[in-house]
Amino acid sequence: GNKRRAAMTTITTNNDETVLEDNGAFCAYRIETEIDFDEEGYKVEGEQYVLIEKLFVPAENRGNGIARSLLREAISHARATYPRMVIRLVAEPLDADTDMDRLVAFYESEGFDVIEAGEIVVMEH
C-alpha cells in the first residue's frame, strides 16, 4: 500500500523510556548500561547504549510502512538526544505471524547489523 497518510506520531518520555506512537503502533527505546566483568569477576558498568525494546504494529495495520517509519523516527530521535551512543535492538517476533528471518532482513534494510546470533539475535545500528 502506498497510501500517503498524515504522520500522527506522539513522543512521550518517562523513566528513561521514550515511546513513539502512531495509530496503535508503537516503538519504545530506553537507555541501557552494558554490564561487564573485570578480571576478578566483579560486575562493572560498561558503555551506555540506546536499546530499542519494542516495535509493534497491530495486525490490521501491517504492510503500510508504519513499522519502518516509526523505527526511522525512533532512530533519528535517539541520535539527536544521545548523539554518541550506539543503538541496539533484540530481533524478537512478538507474535506467531512474524517470521524471524523476515524480521532480521527488515532491520538490516534499515541499517542494523547482527552482532550476536543465538537464542536471541542482537543487532546494532
Side-chain angles (χ1 to χ4, degrees), residues 53 89-95 98 100 103 107 120-121:
E53 48 178 358
L89 58 80
V90 175
E92 192 177 24
L94 291 177
D95 58 40
T98 307
M100 184 60 141
L103 193 60
Y107 287 127
I120 60 168
V121 175

Side-chain angles (χ1 to χ4, degrees), residues 19-104:
V19 182
L20 297 86
E21 287 177 272
D22 179 357
N23 276 329
F26 64 90
C27 184
Y29 74 79
R30 63 188 154 95
I31 302 307
E32 273 292 322
T33 304
E34 279 180 359
I35 298 297
D36 291 320
F37 294 91
D38 64 15
E39 295 80 54
E40 281 87 52
Y42 289 104
K43 277 187 182 178
V44 289
E45 290 197 350
E47 297 283 300
Q48 283 198 314
Y49 61 94
V50 172
L51 177 67
I52 294 180
E53 48 178 358
K54 297 183 201 86
L55 177 60
F56 177 78
V57 177
E60 64 274 14
N61 286 337
R62 292 182 188 168
N64 294 330
I66 297 175
R68 198 174 289 279
S69 68
L70 270 178
L71 180 63
R72 286 178 183 172
E73 272 189 87
I75 290 167
S76 63
H77 188 270
R79 283 260 182 272
T81 315
Y82 307 102
R84 284 176 300 283
M85 288 188 198
V86 299
I87 298 174
R88 292 191 187 143
L89 58 80
V90 175
E92 192 177 24
L94 291 177
D95 58 40
D97 298 329
T98 307
D99 177 72
M100 184 60 141
D101 293 336
R102 281 183 59 197
L103 193 60
V104 168

